[in-house]
Amino acid sequence: MLSTAEKLIEKVDYFPCGYCTNDLKRVFKDFDKTIVNFYAGVFLIKHKKMGYILYDTGYSMDLLKNNIKYFLYRFANPITLKKEDMIDYQLKEKGIDKKEIKYIIISHLHPDHIGGLKFFPNSNLILTKTCYNNYKLKRDSLLIFNELLPDDFENRLILIDDYKENSLFPYKNSYDLFSDLSMLIVEVDGHTKGQACLFIPEKNLFIAADICWGTQFLPLTDKMKWLPKKIQNNFEDYKKGSDLLKKLIEDNISVIVSHDKKEKIFSILKKE
Ligand SMILES: [Zn+2]
């Protein structure tokens, strides 16, 4: 283990940026009516040399606009948002200037992850090449709302590929983002193609985007109903992603997914 003085990751913070409400009965077989709020999680990582890095950006108030596409989205996926939930507002409250966010890792391009991108006109945007290629091919376009992306989105992209073996994360090849072993990007298919997860070795922490809706649901992957299965890019890959998370948890790595319970995420990050 590195000593505190040598640590590159000073802090990982979490911001719940709006939520959607769903009934687990609609998601898993043999479930009674159970209403759950799924928060859109945003993570802020403070790197000693690289400054602030955001992982995802949560929802945007734009989704409350009245057009048929957003109406359908909200009908299938009722959302609760107010301006105080937006990532720009929460950063300001914390005394962080959004100009200080040099990099944003975009796990994937679903609306609850890209909603806040327009708040950060100067940040470099990190996306996997797989995710980008799939976006260009307009696969999964049903859940990608182009208008939420900044106009110069493509100009600011840093595309990630060329994953390598790394003994710090022996489970799957990874990309050493800043070439200092502080943040490893790991690509996990299933929910979308080329979803970017993040392993922070110093914190023994794996941030796993939408590999599942909540780590407590991992044992229920096989009980997923037809429609929620269909929403995934590839359910066979989705199951492999679930298996990866189970293995990491078994090996005592702290695993967080974007829509995990707030209390759970806060308590994991407090331990670090
Ligand atoms: Zn998603």
Side-chain angles (χ1 to χ4, degrees):
M1 265 307 190
L2 298 169
S3 75
T4 325
E6 294 162 325
K7 285 207 165 173
L8 289 168
I9 301 300
E10 293 179 354
K11 207 166 190 291
V12 180
D13 274 312
Y14 161 71
F15 301 90
C17 298
Y19 63 87
C20 67
T21 304
N22 274 298
D23 183 351
L24 295 180
K25 194 181 165 163
R26 290 170 56 196
V27 182
F28 299 110
K29 291 171 202 160
D30 313 325
F31 233 91
D32 290 332
K33 183 175 175 166
T34 314
I35 302 297
V36 182
N37 293 334
F38 291 98
Y39 283 83
V42 172
F43 299 87
L44 178 70
I45 297 131
K46 192 174 185 199
H47 186 291
K48 202 172 180 175
K49 294 177 183 144
M50 308 308 289
Y52 286 115
I53 300 117
L54 268 189
Y55 180 90
D56 285 336
T57 59
Y59 274 117
S60 154
M61 297 288 282
D62 285 352
L63 285 178
L64 300 179
K65 283 182 186 164
N66 275 324
N67 66 47
I68 187 77
K69 188 163 75 169
Y70 293 169
F71 176 79
L72 288 172
Y73 180 83
R74 297 195 308 259
F75 181 74
N77 195 50
I79 50 180
T80 306
L81 308 173
K82 50 187 189 315
K83 84 170 189 319
E84 292 81 4
D85 298 327
M86 300 298 102
I87 188 61
D88 67 326
Y89 189 97
Q90 295 199 60
L91 288 176
K92 200 174 171 193
E93 284 288 288
K94 228 179 145 63
I96 296 168
D97 185 338
K98 52 192 182 181
K99 288 197 195 91
E100 291 179 70
I101 312 290
K102 292 220 179 70
Y103 298 94
I104 300 174
I105 300 168
I106 307 169
S107 67
H108 63 298
L109 297 171
H110 285 167
D112 47 336
H113 298 258
I114 62 163
L117 281 182
K118 285 187 181 170
F119 298 134
F120 307 95
N122 303 312
S123 311
N124 295 299
L125 307 174
I126 297 165
L127 186 70
T128 71
K129 200 168 188 173
T130 314
C131 200
Y132 177 73
N133 288 343
N134 225 48
Y135 159 73
K136 293 304 271 184
L137 290 168
K138 300 210 174 0
R139 301 252 167 85
D140 306 323
S141 55
L142 189 67
L143 274 172
I144 296 177
F145 299 169
N146 283 316
E147 65 284 4
L148 297 179
L149 297 170
D151 293 335
D152 62 350
F153 167 68
E154 302 214 17
N155 302 335
R156 288 194 277 137
L157 282 177
I158 298 173
L159 295 177
I160 304 294
D161 67 348
D162 196 18
Y163 303 94
K164 296 204 164 68
E165 265 182 50
N166 192 320
S167 59
L168 287 173
F169 192 79
Y171 309 92
K172 212 169 183 315
N173 286 0
S174 56
Y175 182 86
D176 181 6
L177 185 59
F178 297 126
S179 306
D180 61 3
L181 301 174
S182 66
M183 294 169 71
L184 305 180
I185 303 269
V186 181
E187 201 177 294
V188 184
D189 290 339
H191 177 64
T192 59
K193 216 133 179 66
Q195 185 172 222
C197 301
L198 177 67
F199 181 59
I200 304 178
E202 284 176 12
K203 301 277 183 194
N204 193 35
L205 175 67
F206 190 73
I207 304 178
D210 289 1
I211 289 187
C212 63
W213 278 293
T215 44
Q216 76 271 34
F217 304 125
L218 282 172
L220 300 172
T221 305
D222 285 322
K223 293 198 165 226
M224 200 183 287
K225 286 189 168 177
W226 182 84
L227 188 64
K229 262 187 197 173
K230 275 286 162 206
I231 296 168
Q232 312 308 326
N233 170 272
N234 178 315
F235 191 66
E236 285 311 305
D237 288 340
Y238 186 96
K239 283 200 278 192
K240 286 183 204 154
S242 293
D243 290 341
L244 171 69
L245 293 196
K246 285 180 201 163
K247 175 79 183 133
L248 300 183
I249 293 167
E250 243 172 63
D251 290 354
N252 287 317
I253 291 175
S254 301
V255 173
I256 290 174
V257 295
S258 296
H259 308 302
D260 257 329
K261 279 188 190 145
K262 282 194 292 186
E263 298 73 22
K264 189 192 140 181
I265 297 179
F266 281 127
S267 90
I268 286 179
L269 295 180
K270 218 158 59 188
K271 275 188 280 170
E272 304 304 331

